[in-house]
Amino acid sequence: MIRAVLLVSLSVMAFAQEEDLLPDRDDLVKKIVGDEYLAGTRELLEFFQLGGVRTVFRNFDKMDAGRAREYAEVFRYLDLFRFRNDLNNNLQNATSLEMKGINLMLLASFGRSLEPTVFLPFVENDKEDITLRLAAASGLVKVQKVQNYDLFLATAKDAEIDPGTGRDDFRYADIHSDNQGFFYYSLSKITADEPPHNGHIMTVILLSNNSNADAYVKILDLKRKKYIPLMIDHAVRVGGVALLDAMESHKTCKKNKDEIAKAKAAAGVIAQYQSKFMASKSPGDYPIGALLPTHFGGSGSGELPSAYVIVKVDTEGAVTVVEALTPFGGSPDAIQNRLPKTTVPAYSKWKADEFYSLMVSP
C-alpha cells in the first residue's frame, strides 16, 4: 500500500515538473499574433506539435490576412481533417475575402470527408467572389463525381489568370495533378466538335504535369493563342520541359519560340528541385513548411512573370536563395527584398527538416 502511494506521488511530481517545463500557451498566443511570432511558432510546434497547430488556427481571427496566409501555406500539407471544426468555425466567422479564401483552401484539402453543405453555399452563389467559389468547388472535386467536376468547370468559365500581373482567380483552389479523374474528365471536354470554354482549358493547364504534353498539344490544336503565356508559365513552375518541347514544335507557337526556349532553361533548373518541394513529402511524416512570405509585388515582363526564385531554409532556419531565374528579362528583387534572413524551419516527424520552395514574382 505504501509502495503504491509512493509510486502515485512520484508520478504526480514528475507530471508537475514536466508541466513546469512547458511554456505558457497564453504567452505563445501573444507572440504569434504579435512581433515575436517566429519565436512563438517555434515553441508551439516543438512543445505542443499538433496542439500547437490547433492553437495557430484558433487564433487566425487575431492575425492580419497576410500572416494567416503564411501559416496556411506552412500547414496545408498536413492531414487537416482533425482541425475541421476549427477551420469551419474560422470560415463562418471570417469577414474578409482573403480570410474566407484561406479557410476554404484548407477545408478543401480534405473535402471528400466533409458534407457538401460546407462548400455549396459559396459555389452556388454567383454574387460571391470567383476566388471563393473556385476554392469551394475544389473541395467538391475531391469526391470523384461527374456533377462535381461539371460544377467546378462551370464555375471556372469566367475565371482569369494573368501571369504578368499576378492575377490568379484560382489562388485559393486546392487542385493538383494527382486528381487524375478530374484531369482526364476535364481533358475530355477539349474537343473541336464542341468548343471548350475558359474553365475547361484553364483547369487542364493547371492540372498538367511534365507527363501531359498530349494535353498541351490538344489545347494548342484549338489555336487559342490567349492561353500561351499561361501555358509557358505553368510549364516553368512544374519543371515541365516536355510541355515546352511540345509547345516549341507546335505551329500555333511559332511566334513564341524565343520565350519558350528561355522558359525551357528555367524549367530544367526547377525540375532538379521538384523532389525537394513540400508536395513530395509523405503526409504520414507530418510535413510542415518553413514560415515565409507568400505574396510579392513587382511587375511582369509583358505577359510573363519577372522572376522564379528557389529558396532554401536549413534546419536552423537560415534562409538562402539557391536559384534566381529571370528567363523573360525581369528582376528577382521583389522576392529577395522580402525574404527574412532567418525563420521557423520546416518540420518532418516533428524534427527540423531542410526546406525548398519556389516563389514567383509577377
Side-chain angles (χ1 to χ4, degrees), residues 61-72:
D61 61 335
K62 299 183 181 70
M63 303 177 192
D64 63 71
R67 185 171 301 174
R69 181 64 189 263
E70 291 178 16
Y71 281 121

Side-chain angles (χ1 to χ4, degrees), residues 4 21 78 94 151 153 183-184 200 283 300 310 318 320 332 338:
L21 293 175
L78 289 171
L151 189 56
L153 295 172
F183 171 73
Y184 283 110
H200 301 137
I310 296 177
T320 55
R338 281 208 62 201

Side-chain angles (χ1 to χ4, degrees), residues 7-145:
L7 287 173
V8 170
S9 298
L10 290 173
S11 298
V12 170
M13 289 173 62
F15 179 77
Q17 289 174 347
E18 184 177 334
E19 283 287 294
D20 289 340
L21 293 175
L22 292 175
D24 183 85
R25 202 181 294 237
D26 290 338
D27 287 342
L28 296 184
V29 169
K30 292 177 184 177
K31 287 183 179 181
I32 64 171
V33 300
D35 295 335
E36 298 181 79
Y37 67 99
L38 295 181
T41 305
R42 276 185 185 241
E43 291 179 86
L44 275 172
L45 295 179
E46 290 174 2
F47 285 98
F48 297 103
Q49 298 184 350
L50 289 174
V53 176
R54 188 182 303 278
T55 296
V56 172
F57 286 147
R58 287 183 173 177
N59 287 279
F60 263 14
D61 61 335
K62 299 183 181 70
M63 303 177 192
D64 63 71
R67 185 171 301 174
R69 181 64 189 263
E70 291 178 16
Y71 281 121
E73 291 296 332
V74 163
F75 299 137
R76 69 183 300 182
Y77 295 100
L78 289 171
D79 179 356
L80 297 175
F81 183 68
R82 73 185 70 227
F83 307 109
R84 60 195 179 279
N85 292 333
D86 302 296
L87 295 172
N88 198 28
N89 185 61
N90 286 347
L91 175 62
Q92 300 307 317
N93 293 321
T95 56
S96 71
L97 184 152
E98 180 145 55
M99 291 303 289
K100 290 177 183 178
I102 289 166
N103 286 289
L104 278 169
M105 178 182 75
L106 296 173
L107 286 163
S109 69
F110 56 93
R112 69 181 66 81
S113 302
L114 295 176
E115 286 294 318
T117 51
V118 173
F119 303 114
L120 285 173
F122 289 91
V123 183
E124 295 178 339
N125 183 357
D126 58 11
K127 293 182 180 179
E128 289 283 6
D129 190 88
I130 185 67
T131 60
L132 301 184
R133 297 182 68 210
L134 286 170
S138 73
L140 295 175
V141 297
K142 299 300 193 298
V143 178
Q144 299 195 354
K145 293 182 179 180

Side-chain angles (χ1 to χ4, degrees), residues 256-290:
N256 304 93
K257 298 235 173 158
D258 288 345
E259 290 173 328
I260 292 170
K262 294 172 183 176
K264 279 175 64 176
V269 174
I270 291 171
Q272 297 173 31
Y273 293 89
Q274 290 291 314
S275 63
K276 298 178 183 289
F277 295 150
M278 287 298 291
S280 67
K281 305 289 185 182
S282 167
D285 292 335
Y286 298 101
I288 292 174

Side-chain angles (χ1 to χ4, degrees), residues 107-346:
L107 286 163
S109 69
F110 56 93
R112 69 181 66 81
S113 302
L114 295 176
E115 286 294 318
T117 51
V118 173
F119 303 114
L120 285 173
F122 289 91
V123 183
E124 295 178 339
N125 183 357
D126 58 11
K127 293 182 180 179
E128 289 283 6
D129 190 88
I130 185 67
T131 60
L132 301 184
R133 297 182 68 210
L134 286 170
S138 73
L140 295 175
V141 297
K142 299 300 193 298
V143 178
Q144 299 195 354
K145 293 182 179 180
V146 168
Q147 56 265 41
N148 292 346
Y149 297 163
D150 284 337
L151 189 56
F152 184 99
L153 295 172
T155 304
K157 184 175 182 179
D158 298 317
E160 294 294 340
I161 300 177
D162 185 345
T165 65
R167 174 175 176 173
D168 182 3
D169 289 346
F170 291 78
R171 64 182 178 273
Y172 303 121
D174 190 68
I175 56 172
H176 306 286
S177 61
D178 57 0
N179 191 336
Q180 291 290 287
F182 185 34
F183 171 73
Y184 283 110
Y185 182 79
S186 302
L187 185 62
S188 73
K189 297 296 182 180
I190 297 180
T191 67
D193 297 333
E194 186 177 341
H197 60 60
N198 197 47
H200 301 137
I201 296 174
M202 296 183 80
T203 299
V204 167
I205 293 171
L206 295 176
L207 290 173
S208 293
N209 58 37
N210 195 42
S211 65
N212 299 131
D214 57 332
Y216 261 44
V217 170
K218 201 171 184 182
I219 293 169
L220 292 171
D221 285 345
L222 299 172
K223 301 180 181 178
R224 304 277 191 90
K225 295 182 181 181
K226 65 174 279 189
Y227 296 103
I228 289 176
L230 175 58
M231 296 173 77
I232 293 174
D233 174 50
H234 178 76
V236 173
R237 292 174 187 242
V238 300
V241 176
L243 301 179
L244 292 161
D245 282 338
M247 295 188 75
E248 192 172 43
S249 61
H250 200 285
K251 60 184 179 181
T252 300
C253 297
K254 62 183 178 181
K255 292 184 178 179
N256 304 93
K257 298 235 173 158
D258 288 345
E259 290 173 328
I260 292 170
K262 294 172 183 176
K264 279 175 64 176
V269 174
I270 291 171
Q272 297 173 31
Y273 293 89
Q274 290 291 314
S275 63
K276 298 178 183 289
F277 295 150
M278 287 298 291
S280 67
K281 305 289 185 182
S282 167
D285 292 335
Y286 298 101
I288 292 174
L291 194 60
L292 290 168
T294 59
H295 286 84
F296 309 96
S299 56
S301 303
E303 297 178 302
L304 290 161
S306 56
Y308 303 83
V309 175
I310 296 177
V311 175
K312 175 185 174 182
V313 181
D314 69 17
T315 55
E316 299 299 316
V319 180
T320 55
V321 172
V322 294
E323 303 285 352
L325 307 170
T326 56
F328 312 115
S331 168
D333 289 351
I335 295 174
Q336 292 179 332
N337 291 343
R338 281 208 62 201
L339 290 175
K341 291 183 180 179
T342 59
T343 190
V344 182

